[in-house]
Amino acid sequence: MNKHIEKAMELRNETPMVNNCAQTIMRVYADELGIDENLCAAIGCNFGGGMKCGGTCGAITAGLMVLGAKGVDSPMAVQQFRKGIAEKHDGMTDCADLLRANAQKGGDKKTHCDKMIQEAIELVDKLLDEKQ
């Protein structure tokens, strides 16, 4: 498991769990972005739960924020990131749709969201490696 995923799972397994998907990803990359973890958590606070309204998954939005902050902003890279996640989830990228589909399969929310975080981090790391 890579260091970003390890830290993300540590954050997600804290009791009580206080980090949504977006906050988790933002905090994982805080040092590399030169930003305080608390500021990263504040930046990500309104993106969890699909911007708190079931829209685009917080793991996706945070992944795109990290990529942008690291200089990966080409339309092709953004499309590759979104498509990489959507392909694993029947084309879905909205939190409400993803959670509904997960529940229909009998899955629980935390496990699903943890998996989304891991997938987003893997894609972020892959795109950052390709940039270098």
Side-chain angles (χ1 to χ4, degrees), residues 45-105:
C45 75
N46 291 323
F47 291 90
M51 294 175 275
K52 296 186 177 183
C53 66
T56 302
C57 167
I60 295 171
T61 55
L64 291 171
M65 285 189 274
V66 169
L67 288 171
K70 297 288 277 177
V72 177
D73 62 355
S74 74
M76 194 165 103
V78 170
Q79 182 181 14
Q80 184 180 352
F81 181 79
R82 280 186 56 89
K83 189 177 179 183
I85 291 184
E87 285 176 346
K88 295 180 179 186
H89 300 279
D90 299 321
M92 294 179 280
T93 57
D94 281 356
C95 180
D97 295 335
L98 291 161
L99 288 174
R100 189 177 307 107
N102 178 62
Q104 288 172 348
K105 296 175 187 172

Side-chain angles (χ1 to χ4, degrees), residues 3-12 27-28 37:
K3 69 178 183 173
H4 295 126
I5 292 173
E6 284 179 23
K7 180 165 182 171
M9 293 307 103
E10 285 174 21
L11 291 169
R12 294 287 293 175
R27 287 184 69 186
V28 162
E37 270 195 49

